[in-house]
Amino acid sequence: MGPKTKKPGNKKKKISKAERLRQLQEEEERRQKEEEEARLKYEKEEMEKLEIKRIEREKWRQLEAKWKHYIQCDGSPDPSVSQEINTFISLWKEETNETFEEVIGKSKLVLNLIDKLKLILLETPPYDLQDKIVTQYQGSILELQELLHCKFNTATEILLRQASTLADLDSGNMEKVIQDENITLYVWANLKKNPRYRSVRFSETQIGFEIPRILATSDIALRLLHTHYDHVTPLRPVPTSLQEHTSTITNLVRDEEKNLEAAISKEMQEECKQEENESNSVHEEEIKVEDQGETEVKMSSVQEEPEVTKCELEMKLISETVLAAQLLLLENAHEKPSDLDDNEVDLCQFTTLGGVYHLDILELPPQCKPMKGWMVVEILKEGLQKYIYPPETTEDFETEYSFPPIEVTLEVHENVIFFEDPMVARWDAEGKHWKTDGISNVSYKSEERLITFNLETFGPVTLIQDSHINMPYQSWELRPLDVNKVLLSVTTIFAEIQIQIKENLCMLASIKVNNKKHSSILEGRWMTPVSFITALKEAGLNIFPTRHSHFYVIINYKVPLTEMKAYRQMALLSSAFAFGWSRWNMLCDSKKVVFKVREHLRKEEPIEDPNWALLMFSGDRAQRLKIDEYSDTFSEALKEETEFHSTLYHMVKDFASEEAMEKIRSSNDQFIDSVGHMLLLTRVLSYS
């Protein structure tokens, strides 16, 4: 027999070692890519579910607040209902001859209504705000502010009519001080017109005026009305860019819903026609059974599908609008305010603190006179009139009179912190803004909290401070304290501020100024995040940048989307992990952030040199760095025996204990939301 012939095609082609390695590498890369895509999908779904829960909770909270107000039955109006607030304003306008004490009593309710309206505008997500609602609320705020000030003027007039009966026995002039938690009134009436009486001081304090001879010999009264709030500065406009963005998204999703409903309707009609055709070919008894059963099954299947699809569309809408709302918090303005007048205060750079001091020189109204057992008083139709100083023309005055600036001494509000000497600004009623001209010889005694200055013309004045005096931060740390409770510490050049966060509440834990413990009335008071942030700003503790802040502070710019995702995921992990400032965050590019992280499960105080890991995050990719905080140079090299992940959650999962992961999984949704909100508003990654 001859040699066997080889069958072609049976022999397998050998694969080289290099080719085999290449295939394995491609398979591994494909596996990693699929795994990363799965992780990204999981993270997105998880975040969307979290946002849906948050919005549902917010709606329930608003309903609970309305119900709570309803069951209170205290007679106070609901400021969000225009009919109720308009009725309240109209009824109060009709009340006349109220004393100053009576107006102060009513002012507590008015201020509460104003605060409620402001809080609604601040707490309501921008995508839920309608233009007409914003206009309505801001209009109600302005009406209440104006009416309250008018009531104070009328009450001052009533008080000054009785000046002669309230005159001091020693000086012969009237002096009155009325204090309240929100208002302090100082009134002095010049009854004796003694040219030598030039120094006006209230209640044995240094608060008062040094007046020129022309005022010392005139029928005038001096009023210092210190409102511990600011109803003079114009209300800030509500952002509209998000409204436009979300309205476009809403329209797109609504169009999809309409198309879906039309398709469903058509499908249901076809199903009905099919049922009719089938019913013609069966007996009447079978129709009663089969038609009923099949129709129920098919109708339910048709209805279930649109419900699921609608839910997906709603999730898409919520995800997009929430994302836009949070990105808006991190958006930097493209242009600096440029249309400012000479000496006008830039309210993007400065903040008014300690309320407003309304300084007025008033014409003394006719005094009450006893007559046959009655008190007779002449009431002027024009009401309380201001005394013009300096006069518009000096022709009617003798040459010996001069009109120098008036020296004023004010007390700085005790609950406000000034890290530098405060600046004084006056209100320009014509231009509707604060200005710094017409003020000279300013001096500040920090221990006595007294500020003295010369003022050319009287009117509202306020004290201002640089809004960014505590920016950029020197360092920061977010540390767990307990279940659903963390401590956020922010260290600036002047202060160290510690904020506790639990569930949907925040509290000022402590504050150090120039390394010394400083007491504040805010310590120990739990508030909602929005109310807390407002209170901190009003106390002079501003660590909340605005969209214009980057024009006044050197910042470490980060891409908003990366920054936002980092804060959201840090909040998700904050029940079991501590995060902190890293010097390498300045050296990585703007699309990435670097920070320290370590597991923290105990309630002990932070140790001096904890074992921190360094993480770098780009929004869709997280990695553990090989370097540490004390390395000589920055490097993006991956730490040995670690791998890339799509989220911080999966990154820390590689080295986290089971106890830590269980704490994260059991974190309260409101708590995560509050921590994320505080991080978004402090912007520790770009302002440190």
Side-chain angles (χ1 to χ4, degrees), residues 176 251 262 276 367 432 518 553 581 631:
K176 185 77 171 178
N251 291 335
E276 288 176 5
Q367 296 299 293
K432 301 293 182 185
H518 182 89
V553 182
W581 171 85
S631 299

Side-chain angles (χ1 to χ4, degrees), residues 425-437:
R426 66 173 184 86
W427 179 248
D428 181 1
E430 195 174 322
K432 301 293 182 185
H433 48 234
W434 295 103
K435 300 187 75 172
T436 54
D437 61 342

Side-chain angles (χ1 to χ4, degrees), residues 365-397:
Q367 296 299 293
C368 295
K369 295 178 182 178
M371 186 177 294
K372 296 180 181 181
W374 294 81
M375 292 297 291
V376 180
V377 61
E378 180 187 356
I379 299 177
L380 301 178
K381 185 179 179 181
E382 57 270 16
L384 194 65
Q385 295 295 303
K386 291 186 178 181
Y387 182 93
I388 306 301
Y389 180 90
E392 295 176 358
T393 174
T394 59
E395 293 178 0
D396 298 333
F397 294 91

Side-chain angles (χ1 to χ4, degrees), residues 575-620:
S575 287
F577 284 87
F579 298 88
W581 171 85
S582 170
R583 67 191 183 105
W584 301 120
N585 190 42
M586 292 285 292
L587 296 180
C588 65
D589 64 52
S590 61
K591 295 179 181 178
K592 300 170 184 174
V593 293
V594 176
F595 46 84
K596 298 184 296 186
V597 63
R598 69 182 177 98
E599 189 176 299
H600 188 103
L601 300 176
R602 305 289 177 260
K603 300 179 186 178
E604 78 275 4
E605 290 296 316
I607 55 179
E608 289 297 321
D609 190 18
N611 185 23
W612 293 99
L614 277 182
L615 296 188
M616 185 168 73
F617 183 57
S618 64
D620 53 11

Side-chain angles (χ1 to χ4, degrees), residues 339-347 431-436:
D339 55 341
L340 300 177
D341 294 343
D342 293 339
N343 302 306
E344 181 182 346
V345 175
D346 182 359
L347 291 177
K432 301 293 182 185
H433 48 234
W434 295 103
K435 300 187 75 172
T436 54

Side-chain angles (χ1 to χ4, degrees), residues 266-333:
K266 186 177 180 181
E267 186 179 349
M268 289 176 69
Q269 288 175 4
E270 289 176 357
E271 292 289 340
C272 290
K273 286 180 180 178
Q274 188 178 347
E275 290 297 324
E276 288 176 5
N277 294 332
E278 288 177 2
S279 65
N280 293 330
S281 62
V282 295
H283 297 292
E284 290 181 7
E285 292 141 1
E286 291 175 344
I287 292 175
K288 290 180 181 177
V289 179
E290 290 180 10
D291 193 39
Q292 194 173 13
E294 288 180 15
T295 305
E296 284 179 1
V297 171
K298 290 182 179 179
M299 286 291 288
S300 63
S301 65
V302 170
Q303 286 173 353
E304 280 174 9
E305 285 182 15
E307 286 299 323
V308 173
T309 316
K310 276 189 177 182
C311 182
E312 290 175 356
L313 288 171
E314 285 174 5
M315 283 183 67
K316 179 181 178 182
L317 173 62
I318 290 169
S319 176
E320 289 287 343
T321 51
V322 169
L323 180 70
Q326 293 187 337
L327 280 175
L328 186 68
L329 295 174
L330 305 177
E331 183 184 90
N332 290 332

Side-chain angles (χ1 to χ4, degrees), residues 122-189:
L122 288 171
E123 285 188 334
T124 306
Y127 48 82
D128 283 342
L129 278 175
Q130 298 178 0
D131 289 336
K132 63 177 182 179
I133 295 296
V134 173
T135 304
Q136 175 194 320
Y137 289 175
Q138 290 189 336
S140 297
I141 290 170
L142 293 173
E143 273 195 86
L144 288 168
Q145 290 176 348
E146 185 179 347
L147 180 57
L148 181 59
H149 194 67
C150 287
K151 288 288 184 179
F152 280 132
N153 285 341
T154 304
T156 302
E157 182 184 4
I158 292 171
L159 179 63
L160 287 176
R161 288 182 200 149
Q162 307 166 23
S164 57
T165 62
L166 300 172
D168 180 68
L169 295 176
D170 294 331
S171 66
N173 296 317
M174 187 273 272
E175 178 188 310
K176 185 77 171 178
V177 178
I178 300 175
Q179 287 186 314
D180 180 70
E181 58 181 318
N182 299 313
I183 295 149
T184 306
L185 172 72
Y186 302 92
V187 177
W188 178 81

Side-chain angles (χ1 to χ4, degrees), residues 191-460:
L191 299 172
K192 284 296 182 180
K193 297 186 281 295
N194 185 348
R196 296 180 181 179
Y197 197 93
R198 305 278 191 90
S199 183
V200 179
R201 293 290 178 265
F202 293 99
S203 300
E204 299 179 355
T205 67
Q206 296 184 52
I207 302 168
F209 312 91
E210 292 292 332
I211 59 175
R213 178 182 173 85
I214 182 65
L215 295 181
T217 57
S218 300
D219 285 322
I220 55 115
L222 299 175
R223 181 180 71 169
L224 165 53
L225 175 61
H226 180 197
T227 59
H228 303 169
Y229 49 82
D230 179 4
H231 285 177
V232 177
T233 304
L235 299 174
R236 292 185 180 273
V238 175
T240 56
S241 57
L242 180 62
Q243 293 173 355
E244 294 169 2
H245 175 75
T246 51
S247 63
T248 305
I249 296 169
T250 307
N251 291 335
L252 288 173
V253 175
R254 281 177 182 166
D255 288 342
E256 288 183 34
E257 284 185 355
K258 286 178 181 177
N259 295 335
L260 176 68
E261 287 171 359
I264 292 164
S265 178
K266 186 177 180 181
E267 186 179 349
M268 289 176 69
Q269 288 175 4
E270 289 176 357
E271 292 289 340
C272 290
K273 286 180 180 178
Q274 188 178 347
E275 290 297 324
E276 288 176 5
N277 294 332
E278 288 177 2
S279 65
N280 293 330
S281 62
V282 295
H283 297 292
E284 290 181 7
E285 292 141 1
E286 291 175 344
I287 292 175
K288 290 180 181 177
V289 179
E290 290 180 10
D291 193 39
Q292 194 173 13
E294 288 180 15
T295 305
E296 284 179 1
V297 171
K298 290 182 179 179
M299 286 291 288
S300 63
S301 65
V302 170
Q303 286 173 353
E304 280 174 9
E305 285 182 15
E307 286 299 323
V308 173
T309 316
K310 276 189 177 182
C311 182
E312 290 175 356
L313 288 171
E314 285 174 5
M315 283 183 67
K316 179 181 178 182
L317 173 62
I318 290 169
S319 176
E320 289 287 343
T321 51
V322 169
L323 180 70
Q326 293 187 337
L327 280 175
L328 186 68
L329 295 174
L330 305 177
E331 183 184 90
N332 290 332
H334 299 298
E335 294 182 0
K336 184 178 178 181
S338 56
D339 55 341
L340 300 177
D341 294 343
D342 293 339
N343 302 306
E344 181 182 346
V345 175
D346 182 359
L347 291 177
C348 292
Q349 182 179 4
F350 295 96
T351 304
T352 64
L353 291 177
V356 176
Y357 302 84
H358 297 265
L359 304 176
D360 297 296
I361 307 174
L362 304 170
E363 293 182 1
L364 200 59
Q367 296 299 293
C368 295
K369 295 178 182 178
M371 186 177 294
K372 296 180 181 181
W374 294 81
M375 292 297 291
V376 180
V377 61
E378 180 187 356
I379 299 177
L380 301 178
K381 185 179 179 181
E382 57 270 16
L384 194 65
Q385 295 295 303
K386 291 186 178 181
Y387 182 93
I388 306 301
Y389 180 90
E392 295 176 358
T393 174
T394 59
E395 293 178 0
D396 298 333
F397 294 91
E398 298 178 13
T399 54
E400 63 185 82
Y401 289 117
S402 61
F403 305 95
I406 299 172
E407 183 181 288
V408 181
T409 301
L410 304 175
E411 184 178 32
V412 177
H413 198 291
E414 61 182 353
N415 298 330
V416 175
I417 300 175
F418 282 95
F419 296 97
E420 292 179 343
D421 289 356
M423 294 179 282
V424 184
R426 66 173 184 86
W427 179 248
D428 181 1
E430 195 174 322
K432 301 293 182 185
H433 48 234
W434 295 103
K435 300 187 75 172
T436 54
D437 61 342
I439 301 164
S440 58
N441 300 335
V442 180
S443 64
Y444 179 57
K445 297 178 181 178
S446 56
E447 291 184 5
E448 294 92 340
R449 300 185 68 83
L450 293 172
I451 188 163
T452 302
F453 54 91
N454 289 347
L455 190 63
E456 291 180 5
T457 57
F458 268 33

